[in-house]
Amino acid sequence: PYTTLFRSSSHSPYLIEALAKYSEPIKEKTKFYFGVKENGISKFENVTGDLKDIYKALSDPFKEMDNLN
């Protein structure tokens, strides 16, 4: 019974999606956090179970780039 702690930070929605999918077998032990800045203060919100805010924040720049073409 080993425990492995893994922390990752990413700007890639693809990596976040892969981590979410591959962690399915241990989802009760998996947590996702989203970093936000409010009034100059950074904080991390637990968004486990609803990753849409992460996906939106990470995919918006791709959409903006597509609109430039």
Side-chain angles (χ1 to χ4, degrees):
Y2 296 98
T3 299
T4 301
L5 297 177
F6 175 78
R7 291 186 183 149
S8 176
S9 175
S10 178
H11 289 95
S12 168
Y14 306 111
L15 180 60
I16 301 299
E17 183 175 9
L19 290 172
K21 293 213 183 292
Y22 284 109
S23 67
E24 276 292 316
I26 56 166
K27 65 182 173 183
E28 70 281 347
K29 296 179 181 181
T30 304
K31 294 188 176 31
F32 287 87
Y33 293 88
F34 181 52
V36 294
K37 194 175 215 179
E38 293 179 1
N39 300 320
I41 298 172
S42 297
K43 67 178 188 174
F44 292 89
E45 297 176 353
N46 185 340
V47 293
T48 304
D50 187 5
L51 304 180
K52 70 179 180 221
D53 288 339
I54 292 176
Y55 292 135
K56 181 177 180 348
L58 296 180
S59 66
D60 281 351
F62 287 110
K63 291 176 186 174
E64 288 181 32
M65 289 177 59
D66 281 343
N67 290 335
L68 294 176
N69 294 329

